[in-house]
Amino acid sequence: QVQLVESGGGLVQAGGSLRLSCAASGRTFSTYTMGWFRQAPGKEREFVARITWSSAWSSARTLYADAVKGRFIISRDNANDTMYLQMNSLKPEDTAVYYCASLDSLFSRGVGNVDYWGKGTLVTVSS
């Protein structure tokens, strides 16, 4: 059974930083595209970032939503089945529940392309 467990959320002031972690179990972590999504109050869940790795590549490939590009960094530690989201220069509009997700294909990014979800971790950015 696949399990994704997020941690690292909390309250931070605007301009601050947080690092989210996602611990995965139940599958061969390194062979799957993983991503972060978020859902703000009253809004739909949206894509934040994705990290994809193939044995044919020398390094993982990443993709970011325009809203977080240049501020957030996604990474993964395949040896420990853990994915991270380093969030810098946080803004009040980044306030949301952040979800770890396993995606169904190499370059997927949609909510409908998620095979498994974590339960989420709340990030609150105060102004």
Side-chain angles (χ1 to χ4, degrees):
Q1 183 178 355
V2 175
Q3 282 194 316
L4 303 174
V5 181
E6 303 94 337
S7 61
L11 173 64
V12 63
Q13 288 189 330
S17 298
L18 279 176
R19 189 175 83 153
L20 305 183
S21 299
C22 171
S25 62
R27 64 171 22 173
T28 305
F29 179 75
S30 63
T31 62
Y32 290 89
T33 295
M34 300 292 294
W36 290 96
F37 291 75
R38 67 185 181 185
Q39 187 165 17
K43 294 189 177 181
E44 294 187 349
R45 196 169 298 189
E46 64 177 6
F47 170 79
V48 173
R50 176 195 74 204
I51 185 163
T52 301
W53 182 83
S54 168
S55 58
W57 305 336
S58 59
S59 62
R61 298 184 184 182
T62 58
L63 179 71
Y64 298 92
D66 288 344
V68 306
K69 199 174 296 183
R71 300 187 297 122
F72 290 11
I73 301 171
I74 188 172
S75 62
R76 64 195 292 171
D77 178 353
N78 289 337
N80 292 303
D81 292 342
T82 303
M83 178 177 66
Y84 303 97
L85 185 68
Q86 177 67 43
M87 305 186 296
N88 302 318
S89 302
L90 283 161
K91 304 175 182 180
E93 51 263 45
D94 293 318
T95 295
V97 177
Y98 284 72
Y99 297 91
C100 171
S102 175
L103 292 151
D104 63 4
S105 63
L106 210 56
F107 297 115
S108 296
R109 59 172 290 174
V111 171
N113 296 120
V114 173
D115 284 334
Y116 296 96
W117 293 100
K119 292 184 178 181
T121 186
L122 176 62
V123 172
T124 303
V125 184
S126 63
S127 57

